[in-house]
């Protein structure tokens, strides 16, 4: 298990982690198009347009701690190369990998810097800048997300967030149920 981030993405499965990533994208960029989970997506789990240019997001999840995360993600990019080339021909101008993998930050030697060097080579070969949202990047976006989004993926919660969910989530659900019941009563009397 990789649980070295704030959230336990290993408790999710691949499809649920993709849904979480798509929810984060949709929250931050409402114009995002999220593709169905579990379908043949051609190298794109979500897309959006920025100034008329297509930005592509691809999710890569694993339940296993990666001993060589830069190599693992490099292989993932190589495995998507044909899809990325096609997306570039179709107008893609930026490509993002969103991953549950933890990177290391040692300057010049950490997996994040090593992968950046490899990404530069891929960008040159594939004709598109490639970026990675590592586990820490996903954590930061989950931290900034509304509680409702976190609670929709409560299996990943631990510690304080889980206790908060257990206490306040039930109250929120009861409040929502009461509001629905009140609205239905109002409608019925009309």
């Amino acid at each position: 298990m990789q649980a070295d981030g704030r959230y336990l993405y290993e408790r999710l499965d691949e499809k649920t982690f993709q849904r979480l990533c798509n929810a984060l994208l949709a929250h931050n960029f409402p114009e995002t198009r999220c593709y169905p989970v579990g379908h043949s997506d051609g190298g794109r789990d979500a897309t959006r347009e920025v100034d008329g240019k297509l930005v592509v997001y691809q999710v890569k999840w694993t339940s296993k701690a990666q001993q060589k995360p830069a190599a693992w993600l490099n292989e993932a990019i190589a495995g998507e190369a044909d899809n990325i080339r096609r997306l570039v021909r179709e107008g893609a101008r930026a490509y993002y990998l969103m991953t549950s993998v933890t990177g290391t930050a040692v300057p010049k030697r950490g997996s994040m810097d090593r992968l950046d060097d490899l990404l530069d080579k891929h960008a040159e070969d594939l004709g598109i800048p490639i970026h990675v949202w590592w586990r820490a990047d996903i954590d930061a976006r989950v931290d900034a997300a509304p509680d409702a989004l976190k609670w929709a993926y409560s299996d990943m919660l631990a510690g304080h967030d889980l206790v908060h969910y257990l206490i306040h989530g039930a109250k929120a659900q009861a409040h929502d149920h009461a509001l629905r019941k009140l609205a239905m009563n109002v409608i019925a009397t009309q």
Side-chain angles (χ1 to χ4, degrees), residues 6 14 22 48 77 96 142 179:
R6 178 173 171 159
E14 181 177 6
N22 283 349
R48 68 187 185 98
I77 294 165
Y96 286 81
V142 172
L179 284 176

Side-chain angles (χ1 to χ4, degrees), residues 9-15 17-18 59-63 72 98-101:
Y9 303 125
E10 296 72 25
R11 290 183 180 173
L12 307 176
D13 59 24
E14 181 177 6
K15 291 177 180 180
F17 182 72
Q18 180 181 332
V59 177
K60 295 296 178 186
W61 173 88
T62 181
S63 64
W72 186 81
M98 302 172 73
T99 185
S100 61
V101 173

Side-chain angles (χ1 to χ4, degrees), residues 82-110:
D82 289 341
N83 285 327
I84 295 170
R85 283 187 184 94
R86 179 186 47 74
L87 289 163
V88 169
R89 285 192 305 271
E90 294 172 357
R93 295 295 174 252
Y95 193 86
Y96 286 81
L97 285 180
M98 302 172 73
T99 185
S100 61
V101 173
T102 299
T104 57
V106 178
K108 305 291 182 195
R109 295 180 318 178

Side-chain angles (χ1 to χ4, degrees), residues 4-181:
D4 45 358
R6 178 173 171 159
Y7 302 100
L8 305 175
Y9 303 125
E10 296 72 25
R11 290 183 180 173
L12 307 176
D13 59 24
E14 181 177 6
K15 291 177 180 180
T16 307
F17 182 72
Q18 180 181 332
R19 285 185 191 100
L20 168 66
C21 290
N22 283 349
L24 292 171
L25 287 168
H27 172 70
N28 287 293
F29 311 110
E31 74 285 359
T32 300
R33 170 178 277 177
C34 301
Y35 293 95
V37 174
H39 289 219
S40 178
D41 58 34
R44 59 187 188 159
D45 290 321
T47 58
R48 68 187 185 98
E49 283 197 22
V50 177
D51 298 326
K53 297 176 182 172
L54 186 66
V55 177
V56 177
Y57 298 87
Q58 180 70 22
V59 177
K60 295 296 178 186
W61 173 88
T62 181
S63 64
K64 299 177 180 100
Q66 295 299 313
Q67 297 302 312
K68 297 181 179 182
W72 186 81
L73 288 167
N74 187 53
E75 287 178 29
I77 294 165
E80 295 286 350
D82 289 341
N83 285 327
I84 295 170
R85 283 187 184 94
R86 179 186 47 74
L87 289 163
V88 169
R89 285 192 305 271
E90 294 172 357
R93 295 295 174 252
Y95 193 86
Y96 286 81
L97 285 180
M98 302 172 73
T99 185
S100 61
V101 173
T102 299
T104 57
V106 178
K108 305 291 182 195
R109 295 180 318 178
S111 57
M112 296 171 90
D113 285 358
R114 285 197 324 259
L115 185 62
D116 284 345
D117 292 340
L118 296 169
L119 292 178
D120 290 342
K121 293 175 186 170
H122 283 296
E124 189 175 317
D125 177 48
L126 299 170
I128 190 170
I130 301 173
H131 312 278
V132 175
W133 285 5
W134 292 86
R135 184 185 194 101
D137 298 305
I138 303 294
D139 284 354
R141 285 163 174 86
V142 172
D143 284 345
D147 285 345
L149 189 147
K150 293 177 197 176
W151 295 342
Y153 302 93
S154 60
D155 287 349
M156 73 177 179
L157 298 178
H160 177 267
D161 287 322
L162 181 59
V163 171
H164 182 77
Y165 171 72
L166 292 173
I167 293 169
H168 299 288
K171 288 180 186 175
Q173 190 174 20
H175 183 269
D176 289 347
H177 177 72
L179 284 176
R180 270 193 300 279
K181 188 174 180 180

